Amino acid sequence: MPASSLQATKPLPSANADEVPDVTALLTAAVEAVGGAERPGQVAMAEAVARAIRTGEHLAVQAGTGTGKSLAYLVPALRHAVVEDATVVVSTATIALQRQLVDRDLPRLAKALSPLLGREPRFAILKGRRNYLCLHRLHTGAPEEPEDPGLFDPFAVSAMGRQVKRLHEWSSDTETGDRDELVPGVSEQAWRQVSVTAKECLGVSRCPIGVDCFAERARAEAGKADLVVTNHALLAIDALEGYPVLPEHDVVVVDEAHDLVDRVTSVATAELTPNAVAAAARRCGRLVDEEIADRLAEAGDGLHLTLAELAPGRLDDLPTPLAGAVAVVRDAAHACVTALGPERKEDVEGSTARKLALALLEEVHDTAVRLLTAFEPPEQDRYDVVWISGGVGQDHTRPSALRVAPLSVGGLLRERLFGPRSVVLTSATLTLGGTFDTLARQWGLPPAPAPSRRAPGAATEKEPPADDTGSPAVDGPKWTSLDVGSPFDHPRSGILYLARHLPQPGRDGLPPQYLDELAELVEAAGGRALGLFSSMRAAKQATEALRERLPNTILCQGDDSTSLLVKQFAEDEPTCLFGTLSLWQGVDVPGPALQLVVMDRIPFPRPDDPLASARQRAVAARGGNGFLTVAATHAALLLAQGAGRLLRSMNDRGVVAILDPRLATARYGGFLRASLPPFWTTHDPEVVRAALRRINT
């Protein structure tokens, strides 16, 4: 990726620091401009962010819903960028928050602060290259021969053909080429026909359409911006891959920081499949001797046959037949890379085909090497976890695959994210078990050197578990933490109901007692319920049972798109919406439409989850509590995020009901309860049902 597009100089002069008001004054102006009300927690957070930027220390801030945390970090970030002529990167986990920042918050904020900063600050959004339409790929076609011969025929009748035809038409209208702006969207398979990865890209200087490239335009805009909004995946690539994809920056704000470790782990995870090997062989088939390409195709067939004989699950050792199959893939891919030879700059069409083939060949080769070397160190010193997914015993529609992921990303983050720059991490959910240290250790930060500064409504400090490697981690970057609490009065606005009288959840679906309890709660609430279940099977079971028992409309995840289901749920108060725990990410429903949140069980990771089980074992091997450190922490985060759906505005009232009695009775229950908002707690179902009825009268 050309450095010039990333290092574009800002055309606007920096402001004199002595002439620019302090952060508190800027925040006051910003709040007035957007028609909001200044909150103590928001002021405390803005001042803490400004202090962290000034001192270079890292900062973790828990800011509950309603705090106004976006303004609290955007105001000091923009002030720093303008005064110091620097760039600040803001990273989010979800598209929804990116759009909120770029479409709503930043335009209003830039206009409001312009007179006080001396000029209007500039901002941009930047995503991975795969998120932008590639005009060269659009006009030259995808390298693979598609099964559908009419794919690029404008009269094609196939579903994907129609989608690709839409993309051709959209390419003439779009100004950004950003996939997220295409509504309705298209399938991943269709989008792959018109996009490229960074490794597949020819580069702006070699591409015949480089001057009109959407991805390069976005990078050029980012290079001129004071503040760049991106996602955790691109932030991880910038930190981990060793080449710059973001403009040079000295401050990063990580919003939705509770998701950072999972997103970084996803970026650092690789997969080797027979289909990928076959695709690599096809891509280079016309560029190298047929015999060399055939050898790679045969290696893919061998990998397929070998995987078909093995059960899915974590691998503590690489079986000899599988090691042999992976080694054959590695050597065959290396032979193809060698046969491709050096690039010929005068042959643009040939360079395109070579670049596309080389990208896939290198991915196959490098993943095979990583898989083979993962087992070389002694078990207690291994960095990667390897497992077989799909195939026998799991989803029969998915072919088997070999996957490899890092046991921990804390070391990578400590060295490559926190090392070169100041980092602010914020979310409504950072104090798991009542302490920041639980997540901080996963980020590679040492335990907090002093008690965190706290605000009213914050949870009580608890002894944190070890990090996900079991290491004591006493040295590392300096950081501070701040819990600014929430403007909501949780004990007066919400009830936490722990159904300790119910039986423990089993493996054969929801027990009849759970369905009875759920029906009574929903009936008392008059609908208005969000059901977050541990599995899609449980969500469907509850949906079918309550549709038979109650007159209310019961919507279930998968009935329609999540956005349309949430819209219907919000507009029709007696309606209920059921789904898996992941559904919380798309639900933000203030007002009377949501007064009951029900979770069926503590969302521990599956016992056979390869990565979670490996992390638990690594902690235990070093003398730590693997269950508390990994499984309970995972569950605490999901419980807290699910419970956070209840209160979304100052007038909201309701109940969070958790049917799993272990939250009230188990030894680890205190750790989990300390991760939840400080609702008033009861075990009495009559008290809860009466409260729900009163809310609706």
Side-chain angles (χ1 to χ4, degrees):
M1 177 177 307
S4 60
S5 65
L6 296 181
Q7 306 298 332
T9 57
K10 300 191 186 77
L12 301 173
S14 58
N16 188 323
D18 295 332
E19 299 173 356
V20 175
D22 62 17
V23 163
T24 305
L26 291 174
L27 181 63
T28 299
V31 171
E32 290 177 357
V34 300
E38 200 168 78
R39 302 180 177 97
Q42 185 182 54
V43 176
M45 178 176 174
E47 292 174 346
V49 172
R51 187 184 309 110
I53 293 174
R54 187 172 63 251
T55 63
E57 281 192 345
H58 307 300
L59 172 68
V61 185
Q62 178 164 281
T65 302
T67 301
K69 64 179 169 63
S70 297
L71 286 186
Y73 64 70
L74 288 175
V75 168
L78 289 173
R79 185 185 191 279
H80 167 76
V82 170
V83 169
E84 301 298 332
D85 193 24
T87 300
V88 173
V89 168
V90 173
S91 178
T92 78
T94 61
I95 294 172
L97 182 54
Q98 287 179 34
R99 295 260 60 99
Q100 175 192 317
L101 293 175
V102 173
D103 296 340
R104 191 186 73 182
D105 294 347
L106 281 166
R108 295 192 294 178
L109 194 55
K111 185 177 181 180
L113 297 184
S114 176
L116 299 173
L117 292 176
R119 65 172 176 85
E120 185 166 324
R122 299 186 60 170
F123 58 90
I125 186 169
L126 185 60
K127 305 175 183 179
R129 188 171 290 270
R130 184 62 116 176
N131 291 279
Y132 298 98
L133 185 77
C134 173
L135 293 171
H136 185 245
R137 181 76 170 259
L138 184 80
H139 295 302
T140 58
E144 296 92 355
E145 291 75 21
E147 294 181 3
D148 180 355
L151 180 63
F152 289 101
D153 181 346
F155 301 103
V157 296
S158 70
M160 190 169 73
R162 289 193 297 270
Q163 290 180 344
V164 174
K165 182 173 181 289
R166 268 189 66 217
L167 289 168
H168 276 262
E169 295 167 350
W170 179 66
S171 69
S172 302
D173 300 328
T174 178
E175 295 183 1
T176 66
D178 186 339
R179 180 181 182 179
D180 294 328
E181 295 183 4
L182 177 64
V183 179
V186 296
S187 68
E188 182 63 28
Q189 187 180 14
W191 185 256
R192 282 202 303 267
Q193 309 303 314
V194 297
S195 63
V196 295
T197 65
K199 290 183 179 179
E200 292 171 334
C201 177
L202 283 173
V204 64
S205 60
R206 307 248 9 260
C207 179
I209 319 179
V211 292
D212 296 319
C213 175
F214 290 122
E216 290 299 327
R217 282 190 203 168
R219 277 155 178 73
E221 287 299 309
K224 296 181 288 186
D226 299 296
L227 188 144
V228 177
V229 177
T230 189
N231 54 57
H232 292 351
L234 198 62
L235 181 70
I237 292 170
D238 185 73
L240 306 183
E241 294 295 336
Y243 56 85
V245 294
L246 294 170
E248 185 176 341
H249 54 283
D250 62 347
V251 174
V252 173
V253 177
V254 181
D255 202 344
E256 301 177 313
H258 59 271
D259 243 351
L260 180 63
V261 168
D262 282 349
R263 300 303 174 101
V264 174
T265 299
S266 180
V267 167
T269 298
E271 182 179 75
L272 184 66
T273 67
N275 286 346
V277 178
R282 287 197 304 270
R283 282 196 184 185
C284 67
R286 298 175 182 174
L287 306 176
V288 302
D289 289 344
E290 185 178 353
E291 181 181 346
I292 297 175
D294 286 347
R295 196 185 312 160
L296 180 59
E298 291 167 2
D301 293 339
L303 179 65
H304 173 74
L305 293 173
T306 305
L307 285 173
E309 298 297 320
L310 298 171
R314 193 183 73 227
L315 298 176
D316 294 330
D317 296 293
L318 199 60
T320 301
L322 186 56
V326 173
V328 171
V329 169
R330 175 199 62 193
D331 296 342
H334 184 268
C336 288
V337 171
T338 302
L340 281 176
E343 184 178 11
R344 290 179 296 174
K345 296 185 176 180
E346 67 280 0
D347 182 9
V348 174
E349 185 175 344
S351 292
T352 302
R354 181 185 180 279
K355 196 77 181 277
L356 292 170
L358 189 61
L360 200 46
L361 285 169
E362 288 181 340
E363 182 180 342
V364 166
H365 174 268
D366 293 351
T367 302
V369 169
R370 182 177 171 188
L371 286 163
L372 292 169
T373 57
F375 296 92
E376 292 178 355
E379 190 172 296
Q380 66 272 16
D381 297 328
R382 289 176 185 170
Y383 172 74
D384 277 331
V385 180
V386 178
W387 70 95
I388 299 174
S389 65
V392 180
Q394 289 189 3
D395 185 351
H396 292 273
T397 63
R398 292 185 58 215
S400 294
L402 263 177
R403 307 196 80 200
V404 54
L407 186 63
S408 167
V409 296
L412 292 170
L413 291 173
R414 180 171 59 247
E415 177 185 351
R416 301 185 188 180
L417 178 63
F418 294 104
R421 57 187 67 83
S422 298
V423 180
V424 175
L425 305 113
T426 185
S427 168
T429 311
L430 293 185
T431 56
L432 300 183
T435 174
F436 285 92
D437 285 349
T438 306
L439 283 179
R441 288 175 186 259
Q442 294 185 11
W443 299 328
L445 297 175
S452 304
R453 286 169 284 143
R454 311 186 67 74
T460 305
E461 284 284 357
K462 301 284 183 181
E463 185 66 24
D467 69 1
D468 57 10
T469 64
S471 305
V474 294
D475 297 321
K478 291 183 178 180
W479 67 285
T480 57
S481 58
L482 173 66
D483 184 349
V484 300
S486 168
F488 301 146
D489 187 347
H490 285 92
R492 291 180 176 272
S493 301
I495 296 174
L496 174 63
Y497 169 45
L498 306 179
R500 65 184 304 167
H501 63 284
L502 292 178
Q504 290 197 15
R507 297 183 178 179
D508 300 323
L510 297 173
Q513 298 94 322
Y514 280 43
L515 295 173
D516 293 341
E517 189 83 26
L518 179 60
E520 290 172 357
L521 289 169
V522 171
E523 186 175 26
R528 312 166 197 269
L530 173 67
L532 301 174
F533 295 87
S534 54
S535 67
M536 202 62 228
R537 176 188 174 191
K540 289 180 178 179
Q541 182 187 357
T543 300
E544 292 171 4
L546 265 66
R547 281 175 177 170
E548 293 178 356
R549 298 191 192 189
L550 301 176
N552 306 76
T553 299
I554 313 292
L555 305 174
C556 187
Q557 188 177 4
D559 289 349
D560 207 327
S561 69
T562 298
S563 60
L564 289 177
L565 290 174
V566 172
K567 184 174 185 290
Q568 185 177 347
F569 173 58
E571 292 176 350
D572 185 17
E573 291 183 11
T575 296
C576 299
L577 174 59
F578 291 173
T580 62
L581 256 168
S582 63
L583 182 64
W584 68 261
Q585 291 182 318
V587 179
D588 185 3
V589 181
L594 175 51
Q595 296 178 348
L596 173 63
V597 175
V598 182
M599 289 178 267
D600 65 327
R601 66 190 297 162
I602 300 172
F604 294 122
R606 290 170 53 99
D608 59 355
D609 182 288
L611 196 51
S613 61
R615 286 173 171 171
Q616 284 188 225
R617 186 177 62 178
V619 173
R622 290 170 170 81
N625 186 326
F627 171 78
L628 190 64
T629 299
V630 179
T633 294
H634 172 89
L637 180 58
L638 290 177
L639 285 172
Q641 292 290 345
R645 298 307 95 190
L646 181 65
L647 303 184
R648 309 304 293 176
S649 68
M650 297 299 292
N651 295 321
D652 287 352
R653 302 287 185 270
V655 171
V656 172
I658 300 176
L659 306 184
D660 190 335
R662 294 174 295 176
L663 195 62
T665 61
R667 291 172 55 191
Y668 51 78
F671 174 82
L672 297 176
R673 293 194 302 272
S675 306
L676 298 173
F679 296 117
W680 183 78
T681 303
T682 183
H683 306 126
D684 189 334
E686 285 294 340
V687 169
V688 172
R689 290 195 291 267
L692 287 169
R693 293 188 190 101
R694 283 197 303 272
I695 293 174
N696 295 316
T697 56

